[in-house]
Amino acid sequence: MCTSEPTLHTLPADGRRIDQLLAEATGLTRSRVSQLIAEGQCTVDGQVERKAGARPRAGQTVTLTVPAPRPAVPQPEDIPLEILYQDEDLAVVVKPCGMVVHPAAGNEDGTLVNALLHHLEHLGSIGGELRPGIVHRLDKDTSGLLLVAKNDAAQLSLSRQLQERQMEKHYRALVDGIPRESSGRIEAPIARSKKDRKKMAVDPEGRAAITEWHILQTGRACALLDVHILTGRTHQIRVHMKHIGHPVCGDPIYGSDRGARVPRLMLHAYSLSFTHPSTGERMTFTAPLPEAFREGLAKNGITDPA
C-alpha cells in the first residue's frame, strides 16, 4: 500500500515486533517498513516510535504514514543556477560544490538536472529521462564547468568530442604535499575497488586513464595544481593524485586526516574547450574559483592565481 494518508492498524496481542506486524498489515517489505519507522513515520498511541524491534502492548494503536511515491521522471525545480553561456544547441553552466548532477538513489531531487529542467526550455534526450542533456559529469563535491546539450544532434557531437579527446578540460586542485617534479603525467588504469565497492582504485585490469598536471603555486605543505585530464573515469583526478602520494585536500574518500585543513573538497573544473556542434567555432570558458575554495587556499598560504 502506498498512500500519502496515514493508515491505522490495531495490533493483536501476540508479542510480535512492530516491523513484522506493519509489514503484514501493509504488504510492504520489512526492510521498507523498518526504513519508514527509522524516518519517524510510525506512531504508537500518538507517540513516534523509531525502533523496528519495539513490541506494542495489546490494544495500542499503531499508525504508519507511507509517503506517496516520488515521480519517476525528474521534475523542474527553481534552484539558482549560474549559466555562463547558452544558445539553441548548448549551455555552459557552473555546478556548485555539494550538488549532485543527476537523480539517483538517495538523491531524487535538488540535482543539477532538476535545475536545468527549470531554467532551460529544451534538453537532449539521448541520456534518458534521468540524465537529459548531460554530456559529462562532476562529482558531488567538485565544483565548476559543465557542458549541457539542448538537442540530440548537439549531444551526439559533444559526446563524440569527449570520446575522441577533442574536448579539453582543466581543473584546479589543491593537493597534500609538494610534488618533487614541477609537472607530471599519470597513466594508470582505474576500476572499481575490489576492497570497497564504493571506491575506485588504480587497477591493471581497469580502463585506461591519463592525467597531466603541473604546479601553479606551493604553500605550507601543499601545492595548487593545474590538472588536465585526457580521459574521464569516475573519480579520476582523486584516484590518480592519491596514487602518486598527493591526495586532493579535503577529500573524504581518498584523502588523509593529517592533510591540510580546508572547508571543502579542493577540486574545481576551471576551464573547458570544445568545438561548437553547429558553427564549428572553437570555444573556451573558464569559471573563477568559488569563495570557499579561495578561503582554503588562503589558509594554506596560496593566493588565487586567476
Side-chain angles (χ1 to χ4, degrees):
M1 174 184 287
C2 288
T3 173
S4 58
E5 297 297 326
T7 302
L8 294 177
H9 302 275
T10 300
L11 307 178
D14 58 5
R16 288 186 295 168
R17 293 163 50 108
I18 196 170
D19 57 349
Q20 182 180 359
L21 292 169
L22 287 172
E24 181 179 293
T26 63
L28 298 172
T29 64
R30 284 182 67 173
S31 60
R32 174 58 174 155
V33 168
S34 296
Q35 180 184 26
L36 292 171
I37 293 172
E39 292 173 356
Q41 302 287 4
C42 176
T43 62
V44 177
D45 282 350
Q47 300 298 312
V48 174
E49 176 58 73
R50 294 180 181 272
K51 295 181 179 179
R55 299 176 186 271
R57 297 189 305 273
Q60 288 189 303
T61 300
V62 177
T63 301
L64 181 69
T65 301
V66 183
R70 292 182 179 272
V73 179
Q75 301 300 302
E77 294 182 41
D78 188 3
I79 301 171
L81 182 64
E82 183 178 0
I83 303 175
L84 291 185
Y85 172 86
Q86 69 169 311
D87 56 29
E88 294 182 353
D89 293 311
L90 57 90
V92 179
V93 304
V94 180
K95 187 190 84 66
C97 174
M99 176 181 278
V100 174
V101 171
H102 59 75
N107 293 286
E108 291 84 1
D109 50 28
T111 72
L112 179 71
V113 164
N114 295 109
L116 291 172
L117 290 169
H118 173 81
H119 291 282
L120 304 181
E121 292 185 4
H122 304 287
L123 289 170
S125 63
I126 293 175
E129 292 181 329
L130 294 180
R131 305 179 186 183
I134 299 301
V135 176
H136 60 110
R137 292 177 288 173
L138 294 175
D139 298 339
K140 176 183 177 181
D141 292 325
T142 300
S143 56
L145 295 171
L146 266 177
L147 184 56
V148 179
K150 298 175 72 173
N151 56 63
D152 290 352
Q155 189 156 2
L156 283 171
S157 173
L158 295 170
S159 296
R160 187 177 302 112
Q161 291 182 48
L162 189 64
Q163 294 171 359
E164 297 177 357
R165 302 181 185 177
Q166 297 171 356
M167 191 177 293
E168 188 168 346
K169 296 188 288 183
H170 286 258
Y171 292 71
R172 294 289 187 261
L174 184 70
V175 300
D176 280 318
I178 300 175
R180 293 182 179 179
E181 305 295 329
S182 61
S183 62
R185 178 183 172 101
I186 307 167
E187 295 189 46
I190 293 175
R192 193 159 297 281
S193 171
K194 294 182 174 65
K195 297 180 180 179
D196 185 343
R197 302 303 292 174
K198 295 181 180 180
K199 295 183 179 182
M200 306 300 290
V202 168
D203 186 331
E205 299 177 357
R207 300 176 67 188
I210 304 172
T211 301
E212 297 178 339
W213 58 270
H214 71 265
I215 297 176
L216 295 173
Q217 287 188 47
T218 58
R220 293 187 289 272
C222 61
L224 178 64
L225 309 182
D226 174 272
V227 182
H228 174 212
I229 58 173
L230 283 78
T231 52
R233 309 304 176 213
T234 300
H235 296 177
Q236 178 173 321
I237 294 175
R238 299 162 68 182
V239 172
H240 271 177
M241 297 316 299
K242 175 180 175 62
H243 180 63
I244 65 171
H246 297 285
V248 177
C249 297
D251 193 330
I253 300 177
Y254 305 101
S256 169
D257 293 337
R258 298 184 299 276
R261 299 302 176 189
V262 291
R264 52 159 288 180
L265 174 68
M266 297 297 283
L267 187 59
H268 177 72
Y270 177 74
S271 72
L272 176 65
S273 298
F274 59 90
T275 300
H276 195 284
S278 293
T279 67
E281 176 187 0
R282 190 68 179 173
M283 306 183 78
T284 298
F285 296 88
T286 60
L289 300 179
E291 182 178 356
F293 198 109
R294 296 197 305 271
E295 290 175 358
L297 294 181
K299 287 181 179 179
N300 290 279
I302 295 178
T303 59
D304 185 350

